[in-house]
DNA sequence: CTGAATCCGCGGGGATACTG
DNA sequence: CAGTATCCCCGCGGATTCAG
């Protein structure tokens, strides 16, 4: 992802490569539709597991937990467990998570703005 | 993606559902790492197939063509063929494509801004 | 150089069942 | 309700080959 030109010591160079590979790793984690849909659905609210599941059309139990763990690991969502019975687990966007959400909002806006363009382009292409 | 509440005829309702499923379809097309990396790499420039391939670390021949076709079909990139030998094919972002690129830029910025946060969160989580 | 097609292995991801 | 584990299959995606 856009490694800048620079002059520096070999150690600095190694650091930059490390940062870049990390950046790429994060990007790969985050740039998948389920993760982005979770981020978008969480929005400003805090939701329970099942609410989230119902809010995201077509996501499976497994994909939801799997992506939630991943997002939690990267510190984008916070998981809070209420030790009641039945258990109540809530998910909330952290500050970094909300930062990402802003850009996802942008993607959603973009999608709606260009719905027409894209549909037309498809019709043309498919002919 | 956020279907608004509204009052209207059944036909309008059907249209909205159609638009929503289309939006979701587009979102699924676009929200995958290869597509986004292609968009990001194209940036303002127009690039040839091989330049693109070299510019995107780890992408395979197949994934590149496949995603380029998809992006072309959705009208996000324009493919121009120069009938020379050897053939020369160039790819450029269209206006909708550049619109999307703006949000992808946002994601990249976000990634770099929170590199530290995320790395720390990971270390904590993995322990 | 660009791209379509084919083969094929591995893992993503669904369904289900079982714990706390 | 939330989460983990197991099974299993389909399809993603890599490698390779052939064509223009």
């Amino acid at each position: 992802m856009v490694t800048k030109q620079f002059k520096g010591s070999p150690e600095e160079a190694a650091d930059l490569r490390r940062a870049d590979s990390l950046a790429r790793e994060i990007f790969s984690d985050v740039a998948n539709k389920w993760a982005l849909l979770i981020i978008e659905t969480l929005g400003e609210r805090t939701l329970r597991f099942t609410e989230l599941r119902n809010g995201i059309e077509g996501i499976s139990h497994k994909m939801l937990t799997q992506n939630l763990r991943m997002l939690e690991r990267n510190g984008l969502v916070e998981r809070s467990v209420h030790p009641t019975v039945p258990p109540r687990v809530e998910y909330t966007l952290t500050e970094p998570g909300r930062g990402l959400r802003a850009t996802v909002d942008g993607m959603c806006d973009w999608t709606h703005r260009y719905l027409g363009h894209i549909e037309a382009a498809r019709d043309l292409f498919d002919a």
Side-chain angles (χ1 to χ4, degrees), chain A residues 41-43 45-52 55 89-92:
Chain A
T41 304
L42 268 181
R45 302 166 294 173
T46 117
L47 293 177
R48 304 181 54 170
F49 184 87
T50 310
E51 293 171 330
L52 218 33
V89 181
E90 296 183 327
Y91 293 92
T92 316

Side-chain angles (χ1 to χ4, degrees), chain A residues 70-91:
Chain A
M70 180 275 284
L71 293 173
E72 187 190 357
R73 178 170 118 91
N74 288 319
L76 305 193
V77 304
E78 189 190 327
R79 176 171 179 271
S80 63
V81 182
H82 302 250
T84 61
V85 42
R88 176 183 191 85
V89 181
E90 296 183 327
Y91 293 92

Side-chain angles (χ1 to χ4, degrees), chain A residues 13-59:
Chain A
D15 275 359
L16 279 202
R17 275 196 304 280
R18 223 184 104 279
D20 252 39
S21 84
L22 184 59
R24 179 59 169 272
E25 201 179 309
I26 294 170
F27 191 86
S28 296
D29 268 2
V30 147
N32 83 66
K33 71 170 180 172
W34 292 133
L36 293 184
L37 283 173
I38 290 173
I39 299 279
E40 180 64 14
T41 304
L42 268 181
E44 297 301 336
R45 302 166 294 173
T46 117
L47 293 177
R48 304 181 54 170
F49 184 87
T50 310
E51 293 171 330
L52 218 33
R53 190 178 184 350
N54 293 332
I56 303 176
E57 161 111 13
I59 196 170

